[in-house]
Amino acid sequence: MAFRIIVLAKQVPDTRNVGEDAMTSDGTVNRAALPAIYNPEDLNALEQALLIKDKYADTEIIILTMGPPRAADIIRESMFRDADSGYLVTDKRFAGADTLATSYVISKAVEKIGNYDLILSGRQAIDGDTAQVGPQTAEKLKLPQITYAEEIIDIKKDKVTVKRRLERGVEVVESSLPALITVHSSAEKCRPKNAKLYMKYKHAKTPTELQTIADDYLNQSVRNKDYLQIEELSVDDLKCDIQKIGLAGSPTKVKKIDNVVLQSKDSKVIRDNDTEIRQLMQDLITNHTLG
Amino acid sequence: MNNICVYCEIEDGVVADVSLELVSKASKLASELNCEVEAVVISSGTEKIAEQITPYGADTIHIADDKRLHPYTTLPHAAVLTDIINRKKPQIVLVGATSVGRDLAPRIASELRCGLTADCTDLVIGDYSDPKSGREYKNLLYQIRPAFGGNIIATIVNPETRPQMATVREGVMKKEKTAKQHKTKIEKIDTMKILDNVNFAVKIIERHIEPRKVNLGAAQIIVAGGFGVGSKEGFDLLNDLAKIVGGEVGASRAAVDAGYADHSRQIGQTGVTVRPKLYIACGISGAIQHRAGMDSSAQIISINTDPEAPINSIADVTLVGDLHSVIPKMIKFYKEQSK
Ligand SMILES: Cc1cc2nc3c(=O)[nH]c(=O)nc-3n(C[C@H](O)[C@H](O)[C@H](O)COP(=O)(O)OP(=O)(O)OC[C@H]3O[C@@H](n4cnc5c(N)ncnc54)[C@H](O)[C@@H]3O)c2cc1C
C-alpha cells in the first residue's frame, strides 16, 4: 500500500516571543521584527505523514504552502525531514485574505495537485489561532474533516482511524478517504532534520529563487534535477475567481486595531510579615470577601 | 425580521454553560437590534433541553432530535444548522468556542460563504463606514478579539455578508436569566428531510469524556498559581488555601505547561475567563494573555517575589514575598480569625 498525502503548512511570525521591539509605537505588530518559523502544529501534521511513510515506504508527501516567496523555506524544511515535493502558492493578489479566501485558494491548489488520499494540516496557526482554515478547506473540497487529531491509529486504502484530543477527553473515529485531518499539538513531535536529506535538498528552489542564482553551474545543476524543483502557483495557474481571493474575497474586515491598555489600579503593597498578613486576612473577613 | 441564532451544545442531556452565556448575550443584542433570539438544539433525547434554555431569553428553540445526532459529528450537525440558517436567514450566528464549536462554525461559514471570527472577547453593535467605498453600514456586529498572540485587540466586521458569525469562549459572556417571562416557541426539525448517508462518513468508535472536574466560572474565590509555584507539590499549598476559604484552584498557562496543574484549570485567553469576587494570583507574572481571563475580577491580590511584576499593576493588594512562606501564614491567620 502507498498513499499520496498533501500536508498544508504555513510560515508564521513567532508570536510566542513578542519582545518590546516587535510592537510599534502605535500598538501594531511589526511583523518584520519577528522571526519566521514553521507553524508548530503543522510540524505535528508533517510527522503524522512521515509516520505513514515509515510504514508504507512508497507513500508520497507533498507540501502545500501559501505565502510570500520566502515561505519556500517551509518546503525545504519539510524536505529535510523526508517530504517528497512541494508547491508554493504565491501571488500579490492573494494579500489581505481572511480564512475564507485562504481556504478557497488552498482548495483550488489541492484540486490542481489532485489524486490524493489524505490532507493533513495543523489544527491552527499561531499568528491567528483561528483553527478555521482546515475545516473550511475540507468544506470547499466536500471532504469529511477530522479535527484535533492526536494519532492516526490506522490507515487502509479507503479508511482511516484517528484518535482525537477533545477538551475533556478523547474520541476514536473512523472516516472514509479522502479526508482532511487537522493535527493537535499533543500529537507526536516532529522528527529533526536529517543530515543526508539536508545535503540532498538544500538547493531545492522555486523558479523565482532560481533566477537569483548567479552561479551558472549551480543554476544548471539545480534545473537538471526534478526533485529540486519547487513549483510555484499563481492566481492564473489556479484559475482563481478574482472575486473570491484577497481582500475582495474576504467577508471579514478589520475595523480597527487597538493596543492592549493596562488599566492600572492603586495597589496597596504589603510585606511578608505576621502583622500585615494578619491585617489583610482580617480585612477580607470583615468586608465579607471571605467567610 | 433577521434574528440572532445561537447553536446550543449538549453533553449528557445538559446544555453547556457557554451556550447559555451566548443565549444571554444574544438576548441583550436582540433588544438593541429589535429582533428575536433563536436557539438551535441538535442532539438526541432532548425532552429536558428547552426548559434549560428558556430562562436565558430564547424566543424560539429549534430542536432536531435524532439518534444519529448524538454524540456530535461534524457533517450532520453542519447540515442541520445550515438548513436552519438558510431558511431563517439570521443576521448573527453565535457558537461556543469549544472543541465542538470550533469544528462546526468554520465548516458552516465556508458553506454559507460568510465571515467568521474566532474567540471573540466582546460583541458590540455599532456602525461602520467602509474606508474605500465610503459606504455606511448601520448596526453591524463588532467582533472584538485578541490577535497576534494577544498583543493587540482587533475589531472585526462583516459589512456585506450574512450571517455575521462569531465563536466565544466559555466564561467571556455572563450567564443571566432574563427578567421578563418568555413565551418560547418550539420548532421541531424533520431530520429525515435533511440528512443522508454522505453526512455519516465519520463514525465514532470510542469515546471517553470525563465529567467536568472543576467549574472555575462559578467560583467566587479563585486561588491561581503560576510558574512561580515551582512544582506540583507547591500546588498542594494552593489547594489548602482554596479549601479553607471555599475557593477553586486556577492556573496560568506556564504552570499548566510545566505540568503543575491540569489544563482544565487554565485561566486566560486560551483557557477560561473568570470574574470572581476575589482572585489570588500566586507566582503569576501577569502576561497579557493571562490578564485577559481574569482582569474583571472584583478584587485581586498578587503574591509575588517581584515587586515590579506586571500583575501588581492591576492588583488591589500586592503582597511582596515568597508564596511558600506567605500562604501558610494566610491559612493560619484566616483560621484564627474566622472562628
Ligand atoms: C497565543 C497565546 C495564548 C496564551 N494564552 C494564555 C492563557 O490562556 N493563560 C495564561 O496564563 N497564559 C497564556 N499565555 C502565556 C503567557 O504569555 C505567559 O507566558 C504565561 O501566562 C506566564 O505564566 P506565569 O505568570 O505563571 O509564569 P512567569 O511569567 O514565568 O511568571 C512567574 C512569576 O512568579 C514569580 N515568582 C517566582 N517564584 C516565586 C515565589 N517563590 N513566590 C512568589 N512569586 C514567585 C515571578 O516573579 C514571576 O512574576 C499565552 C501565550 C500566547 C502566545
Side-chain angles (χ1 to χ4, degrees), chain B residues 221-244:
Chain B
I221 297 168
I222 292 176
V223 182
F227 194 67
V229 174
S231 65
K232 224 176 152 132
E233 293 67 46
F235 263 80
D236 290 344
L237 201 53
L238 272 64
N239 266 320
D240 292 345
L241 176 60
K243 208 182 243 160
I244 68 153

Side-chain angles (χ1 to χ4, degrees), chain A residues 13 15-16 18 23 27-31 34 98-100 103 123-124 126-148 160-162 164-176 179 241 243-244 247 250-275 277-291, chain B residues 9 11 71-72 74-75 97-104 106-107 109-111 113-119 127-128 130 132 142-143 145 147-161 201-213 221 241 245 253 263 269-270 277-278 288-289 291 295 297-301 310 312-322 325-326 329-334 336-338:
Chain A
T15 55
R16 293 168 308 179
V18 178
M23 300 299 287
T28 57
V29 179
N30 176 11
R31 268 182 191 250
L34 297 173
D98 69 3
T99 65
L100 190 75
S103 61
R123 171 187 52 153
Q124 61 191 45
I126 57 169
D127 57 347
D129 290 323
T130 69
Q132 287 170 192
V133 171
Q136 290 181 323
T137 304
E139 192 281 327
K140 297 265 175 276
L141 295 163
K142 301 293 169 211
L143 296 177
Q145 72 192 46
I146 302 171
T147 48
Y148 326 117
V160 65
T161 311
V162 179
R164 303 177 68 214
R165 170 60 50 186
L166 306 176
E167 275 156 329
R168 284 185 288 128
V170 293
E171 208 174 71
V172 176
V173 301
E174 210 176 77
S175 170
S176 58
D241 175 348
Q243 286 310 311
K244 290 187 180 171
L247 266 182
S250 300
T252 58
K253 310 282 174 214
V254 178
K255 181 177 176 289
K256 62 177 178 135
I257 296 284
D258 291 314
N259 213 338
V260 178
V261 252
L262 252 182
Q263 21 84 266
S264 53
K265 294 183 190 167
D266 278 335
S267 191
K268 184 172 155 197
V269 179
I270 65 178
R271 305 273 151 191
D272 179 11
N273 61 56
D274 285 5
T275 330
I277 296 179
R278 181 184 287 120
Q279 187 61 49
L280 170 70
M281 298 316 278
Q282 195 180 341
D283 291 347
L284 289 172
I285 293 168
T286 320
N287 66 24
H288 300 291
T289 307
L290 294 181
Chain B
E9 203 174 310
E11 185 68 46
Y72 168 87
T74 317
L75 300 178
T98 59
S99 356
V100 166
R102 289 166 62 100
D103 179 83
L104 176 68
R107 181 100 197 177
S110 172
E111 181 148 6
R113 299 196 30 216
C114 65
L116 168 64
T117 305
D119 292 339
D127 299 338
Y128 174 69
D130 188 300
K132 278 211 191 96
Y142 290 177
Q143 302 148 48
R145 80 175 298 246
F148 252 82
N151 296 287
I152 51 176
I153 303 285
T155 300
I156 314 283
V157 290
N158 315 133
E160 292 291 344
T161 55
V202 177
K203 289 186 187 61
I204 298 175
I205 305 177
E206 247 180 81
R207 195 161 183 269
H208 305 281
I209 302 295
E210 287 158 20
R212 176 196 286 266
K213 280 175 287 193
I221 297 168
L241 176 60
V245 300
R253 178 151 118 183
H263 178 74
Q269 186 190 319
T270 47
K277 230 164 51 174
L278 177 63
I288 296 172
Q289 299 90 351
R291 290 198 308 257
D295 64 1
S297 304
Q299 248 194 95
I300 299 168
I301 299 178
N312 300 346
S313 66
I314 59 162
D316 301 273
V317 177
T318 300
L319 219 166
V320 182
D322 185 334
S325 142
V326 170
K329 288 184 190 137
M330 292 173 79
I331 295 175
K332 181 173 146 216
F333 295 127
Y334 177 78
E336 256 179 43
Q337 297 176 62
S338 65

